[in-house]
Amino acid sequence: MVTTVGTAEGSHDGVDPQHWRALKGVGCVLSRLAGALATARGVFGTSHCCESNNLGGIAEIINGGVGGSAGLCLCHDTLERSGRVLVRVGDGRPVRIVGSTQWGKKIICRPNVQLEDLPEDVLCRVFSKMQLDEVVRTSVLSSKLRNMWTISSKLSLDCVAICGRRRYFYNKHKYTQEFIDGVNTVLQQLHGKVFEDLEVKVEFDSILVDHLNDWISFAVSSLMKNLALDLAPAEFVGFKDRYIFPIELFDSASVSRIQNIQLSCVSFRPRFPFRGFPNLKKLDLHLFDVSEMDLDEMLSGCANLEWLSLIRCHVNGELKVKQPLSRLLYLRIAYCGITKVELCAENLRTFIYHGLQLPIDLGQVKQLETAELRLYGSTFEYVLTELPDVLLGVQTFTFQTSYLPLEMPLLLENIGSFSQLRFLRLWILVRSGDSDNILSLASFLRAAPLIEGLEMHFDADFNGVGWGPLRSLPPYPYDYLRKVHITGFNGIKGQLEFLVHIVENAPALKVLIIDPRKKLGLCRCKASDFSACRASVRSELKGKLTPGTEVNIL
């Protein structure tokens, strides 16, 4: 079991404050080390079990002298002592027993053992999993640990950490130069070291180009597997410049090593056709500039890709991948200049799209679990006739549109079927002239014969109970619908019509929640408006609810 290690309570007299802060840095990362320590024949955690108020003790817990399972834990003992010590669990060495834990395990204390006395392989494994700034702070504990910061497998170059502050109103050019100088000073100490991860986070500036190339070249020579370049500007207004990704710095061996890539504010313009990263598993692109052809070539060569995200990317063409992405599980596309999506991802589990309505072809998806679409300028005909053939087998579907269509039939005909859909979430903006169209949303329910849960989140710019008699639709049973939750319900006529239609056609309904408060948009309603809403709901539902239905009108 992994438990977060907190800060020790009580006094720590006699301990140098700098050492205390360093050890707190160790404690903060211990909870992330279970995997690293699994092969080290032990478990590390903390214990209040020291003979004096210092940080020098190392305790070990054994259970009858037999080694325990690997993992991290927080050990509490019954001894009336204070202080912070590292604990090793389960290696079974014969040492003096001084107490027992609340779990009945024995506590063995070696008061004179220091942090640096841990086995070298264990120290290396611990330090290799820490962030660079944490490693540097911990290195001041002793002379033996002084150079341990150079063995971290993660090279995280964050402008805030390097410069010691955020830029805010500071001159961007001077701040960037300070960051460059700090990074170069660090890298001078690291030549010949192996780094699996390179992370760079700083606003892009043209003076960074040569240095970024040098840092990436250094990481490539250090057997890098994961690369993250977050060069996004603080403000997007007037933003045009991007860092041109130096793919020429990668040879075939380094291309094959790459497993995860995150790029922000980067342009990809290879001088020759690039065949992709064969072992890449995750690709996260933001403010990424690439041509349609180069994107196709790159993705077609990523046969092991499992996770793909494109946000605010500049493509100006189709996202078309010729080769199957048979291992792709997650796909997100948001606010990109893409005119069409066409790829084959038969094992896709999650699909998210935000943007204008466009043709989408995901291939013959076997078992799509979750789909989320936020469409602008879309029609319900498109959603209910075309998307069922795209989102094959989807089980959870979230749909948001800018506004209800101005003109639409009360019930759509020739709609498709979301045959496996169990949960539907709709986010709907309603203008004053759209109230009569709300009842048409029943077409979504008819397209989901197995639906069990429904969430409706309205944003209506007006309130009132409406006027005229309520309209009704022909009966259509929703036999599996058990829970309905509606927010932004202010009692307008269309909402009441839709609510009554559900109640009258859902014989298995168990929970009905009506909430006038909004989850979408600002709520400008007064308390009196809520009172009128509640009264109208109670009046319309009287005698229509199935016995046993739990109703909450908030």
Side-chain angles (χ1 to χ4, degrees):
M1 179 179 67
V2 179
T3 304
T4 303
V5 178
T7 304
E9 301 292 341
S11 169
H12 45 272
D13 298 336
V15 181
D16 184 270
Q18 189 175 19
H19 287 201
W20 177 258
R21 288 193 297 271
L23 193 57
K24 285 201 298 182
V26 177
C28 290
V29 299
L30 283 174
S31 61
R32 303 201 303 267
L33 299 178
L37 296 170
T39 59
R41 290 195 63 207
V43 181
F44 286 81
T46 60
S47 171
H48 302 286
C49 176
C50 188
E51 294 185 354
S52 60
N53 291 333
N54 61 58
L55 306 176
I58 289 184
E60 301 183 11
I61 302 178
I62 62 173
N63 188 359
V66 180
S69 59
L72 295 179
C73 67
L74 181 62
C75 171
H76 302 276
D77 61 77
T78 59
L79 303 178
E80 295 181 355
R81 297 182 176 91
S82 62
R84 207 61 165 166
V85 291
L86 291 174
V87 177
R88 185 164 184 166
V89 181
D91 71 352
R93 288 182 290 171
V95 288
R96 181 167 59 91
I97 299 174
V98 297
S100 62
T101 71
Q102 62 184 2
W103 306 300
K105 293 186 177 182
K106 299 175 181 179
I107 291 197
I108 298 95
C109 190
R110 291 185 174 185
N112 297 322
V113 181
Q114 304 293 323
L115 174 63
E116 61 266 27
D117 293 322
L118 289 173
E120 184 175 353
D121 63 323
V122 175
L123 278 176
C124 291
R125 190 174 294 275
V126 170
F127 275 75
S128 70
K129 298 301 179 182
M130 296 168 66
Q131 297 295 332
L132 185 60
D133 57 338
E134 295 170 333
V135 176
V136 172
R137 289 200 306 269
T138 308
S139 298
V140 304
L141 285 173
S142 75
S143 57
K144 180 180 177 180
L145 304 177
R146 188 166 299 157
N147 294 320
M148 293 297 290
W149 66 278
T150 62
I151 68 170
S152 174
S153 64
K154 294 184 178 181
L155 182 56
S156 180
L157 307 176
D158 186 296
C159 60
V160 176
I162 296 292
C163 299
R165 66 191 184 285
R166 298 186 182 277
R167 184 173 71 86
Y168 292 121
F169 302 106
Y170 196 77
N171 180 273
K172 180 179 178 181
H173 185 82
K174 291 182 178 179
Y175 185 83
T176 304
Q177 188 60 55
E178 182 180 344
F179 172 72
I180 292 171
D181 294 340
V183 171
N184 288 336
T185 299
V186 170
L187 294 186
Q188 288 176 2
Q189 310 295 321
L190 300 177
H191 280 289
K193 306 298 181 181
V194 174
F195 287 94
E196 293 185 357
D197 301 359
L198 172 63
E199 301 175 0
V200 180
K201 183 176 177 59
V202 65
E203 289 184 66
F204 180 67
D205 190 299
S206 58
I207 64 173
L208 279 167
V209 173
D210 290 339
H211 298 282
L212 285 169
N213 290 344
D214 291 341
W215 302 340
I216 293 176
S217 178
F218 168 78
V220 168
S221 65
S222 299
L223 309 181
M224 174 181 63
K225 294 181 180 179
N226 308 306
L227 173 64
L229 299 179
D230 185 357
L231 310 178
E235 298 179 358
F236 294 153
V237 179
F239 153 73
K240 291 183 179 179
D241 293 339
R242 289 179 174 87
Y243 171 62
I244 299 177
F245 190 78
I247 192 62
E248 64 276 5
L249 298 179
F250 293 75
D251 57 17
S252 58
S254 57
V255 165
S256 297
R257 275 193 299 270
I258 297 296
Q259 297 180 7
N260 299 281
I261 294 179
Q262 177 188 345
L263 302 176
S264 181
C265 192
V266 172
S267 179
F268 187 71
R269 302 292 180 186
R271 300 172 185 173
F272 51 87
F274 178 64
R275 303 303 180 185
F277 300 90
N279 294 308
L280 186 68
K281 294 182 179 180
K282 181 175 181 179
L283 180 59
D284 189 353
L285 304 176
H286 177 230
L287 297 172
F288 189 70
D289 177 56
V290 64
S291 70
E292 175 184 331
M293 182 176 65
D294 288 335
L295 184 59
D296 177 19
E297 290 287 345
M298 178 174 66
L299 294 179
S300 293
C302 299
N304 290 297
L305 192 63
E306 299 175 359
W307 198 98
L308 174 61
S309 174
L310 299 95
I311 301 178
R312 301 187 185 278
C313 294
H314 184 77
V315 179
N316 278 348
E318 299 179 357
L319 173 57
K320 188 174 183 180
V321 184
K322 298 174 183 176
Q323 297 298 320
L325 298 176
S326 58
R327 297 195 177 185
L328 189 65
L329 302 175
Y330 178 97
L331 174 61
R332 176 175 58 184
I333 304 170
Y335 314 116
C336 297
I338 292 175
T339 57
K340 182 180 180 181
V341 176
E342 183 178 348
L343 50 85
C344 181
E346 62 180 9
N347 293 306
L348 193 66
R349 294 292 183 269
T350 301
F351 175 61
I352 300 173
Y353 175 77
H354 297 176
L356 295 174
Q357 177 178 315
L358 79 171
I360 300 175
D361 183 2
L362 303 177
Q364 294 297 312
V365 181
K366 295 178 181 178
Q367 190 177 357
L368 186 64
E369 296 175 355
T370 303
E372 176 185 317
L373 275 74
R374 182 180 299 175
L375 298 179
Y376 302 95
S378 65
T379 64
F380 285 175
E381 287 86 354
Y382 167 77
V383 177
L384 295 175
T385 59
E386 296 190 27
L387 288 185
D389 294 329
V390 174
L391 309 177
L392 297 174
V394 65
Q395 299 176 32
T396 300
F397 181 32
T398 299
F399 174 70
Q400 178 175 342
T401 184
S402 52
Y403 287 103
L404 287 171
L406 290 174
E407 295 183 5
M408 59 185 300
L410 198 57
L411 279 178
L412 294 175
E413 298 180 356
N414 301 320
I415 61 175
S417 175
F418 295 101
S419 59
Q420 301 300 316
L421 187 64
R422 298 299 194 275
F423 180 80
L424 175 64
R425 181 185 292 112
L426 298 177
W427 300 79
I428 305 295
L429 278 71
V430 183
R431 295 167 295 193
S432 58
D434 296 339
S435 176
D436 287 344
N437 292 333
I438 294 177
L439 184 56
S440 302
L441 296 174
S443 296
F444 279 88
L445 299 180
R446 298 194 175 204
L450 300 180
I451 187 169
E452 298 175 3
L454 171 67
E455 279 189 16
M456 298 282 296
H457 302 291
F458 287 103
D459 181 12
D461 293 331
F462 58 100
N463 31 283
V465 298
W467 52 90
L470 300 185
R471 298 168 300 168
S472 62
L473 296 173
Y476 193 95
Y478 310 117
D479 292 330
Y480 301 95
L481 186 59
R482 292 176 173 81
K483 182 176 180 179
V484 175
H485 185 184
I486 304 177
T487 68
F489 193 100
N490 54 3
I492 57 179
K493 179 181 177 182
Q495 290 177 334
L496 290 171
E497 292 173 337
F498 184 73
L499 176 61
V500 171
H501 173 74
I502 291 176
V503 169
E504 291 181 336
N505 290 276
L509 188 63
K510 297 299 181 183
V511 179
L512 175 62
I513 302 173
I514 306 296
D515 191 349
R517 296 167 298 184
K518 292 183 180 181
K519 284 192 175 182
L520 180 65
L522 298 176
C523 187
R524 300 183 178 90
C525 297
K526 304 183 293 294
S528 58
D529 298 325
F530 291 158
S531 298
C533 170
R534 295 186 188 101
S536 64
V537 170
R538 292 190 182 99
S539 174
E540 295 298 338
L541 295 184
K542 187 176 181 180
K544 297 182 175 68
L545 288 167
T546 303
T549 301
E550 178 186 340
V551 180
N552 296 306
I553 305 176
L554 304 178

